[in-house]
Amino acid sequence: MRDPGLARALAAEFIGSAWLLAVVVGSGIMGERLSAGNVALALLANAIATGCALLVLIVIFAPLSGAHFNPAVSAVFWSRGELPIRRLLAYAPAQLLGALVGVAIAHGMFELPIVQASQHGRSGGAQWLGEFVATAGLVLTILGSIAARPAWTPLLVAGYITAAYWFTSSTSFANPAVTIARSFTDSFAGIAPGDVAGFIVAQMFGAAAAAWLGGWLWPSTENSMKS
């Protein structure tokens, strides 16, 4: 790749997405195995592990790519003029491929079939509303923290996602790439393939609503990435 900056950014988005999904799926498997049928305890383990991993991943990869790991977040930054279309179109495939690799890694660590189809149904208006709220809240957390306390962004995003696991009906996927990848695991973190589209539509509407509100609350003053 002729642009070393873009190459490093794509590597960061790929590795970060893979790492995140390995944590989400792996902690879900471990939590389910150790909780003796206590779903609340398994969810708590899953949420804490995901939040802690997000804190680490955002801190180490933000200087390279912005640490989006999420096509909806990348689309929001593009809509604000802070991410070139070239990067948006490159980030999304890297995020999705990384997420799929992360699921496969988690399966390998726990000696499960590498490729699975989830049978975990997640559908209906309540769950779609949960995804709308989860994604809108994530975007507002990102935009607000960057505007008010940039150094706190990793901690605030990690804290929000940990909380959203618990207060949303959907357990806060809030990410189209994550949603697609989790349809390939028939584990605690999975989502049935037939339910993926409803989640993604809700996520994109949530991101769009938050981008509009965030643009009014915290207007973009300059492009943060020019190439």
Side-chain angles (χ1 to χ4, degrees):
M1 190 174 291
R2 288 177 292 181
D3 183 348
L6 179 58
R8 284 190 287 269
L10 293 180
E13 289 298 303
F14 173 85
I15 296 168
S17 298
W19 204 337
L20 176 60
L21 266 294
V23 171
V24 170
V25 175
S27 64
I29 295 169
M30 181 68 85
E32 191 171 40
R33 289 184 178 181
L34 298 180
S35 63
N38 187 328
V39 178
L41 184 58
L43 182 62
L44 179 62
N46 200 200
I48 291 174
T50 301
C52 290
L54 268 175
L55 176 59
V56 173
L57 294 173
I58 295 171
V59 168
I60 65 176
F61 288 124
L64 297 175
S65 69
H68 297 176
F69 318 133
N70 186 334
V73 170
S74 297
V76 167
F77 279 102
W78 167 76
S79 74
R80 289 169 60 87
E82 297 174 6
L83 186 75
I85 186 65
R86 165 173 184 250
R87 289 213 173 197
L88 172 63
L89 296 177
Y91 274 22
Q95 293 158 351
L96 177 56
L97 182 58
L100 292 169
V101 169
V103 171
I105 290 171
H107 289 167
M109 290 192 294
F110 289 93
E111 299 183 301
L112 295 174
I114 298 301
V115 178
Q116 306 175 13
S118 178
Q119 300 182 51
H120 193 158
R122 300 177 187 264
S123 186
Q127 298 237 19
W128 298 334
L129 177 59
E131 278 304 288
F132 178 93
V133 170
T135 310
L138 172 61
V139 170
L140 289 174
T141 298
I142 293 169
L143 298 180
S145 63
I146 289 173
R149 295 286 189 274
W152 289 25
T153 300
L155 182 60
L156 295 178
V157 170
Y160 173 78
I161 289 296
T162 303
Y165 260 70
W166 284 88
F167 81 80
T168 64
S169 55
S170 62
T171 68
S172 184
F173 285 46
N175 183 329
V178 165
T179 304
I180 293 171
R182 286 171 66 167
S183 71
F184 287 90
T185 180
D186 193 24
S187 66
F188 183 80
I191 176 173
D195 295 337
V196 167
F199 266 46
I200 291 178
V201 169
Q203 290 159 3
M204 296 311 294
F205 272 105
W212 174 82
L213 180 57
W216 179 67
L217 292 171
W218 308 290
S220 177
T221 56
E222 62 181 1
N223 291 351
S224 62
M225 303 180 72
K226 301 183 185 296
S227 64

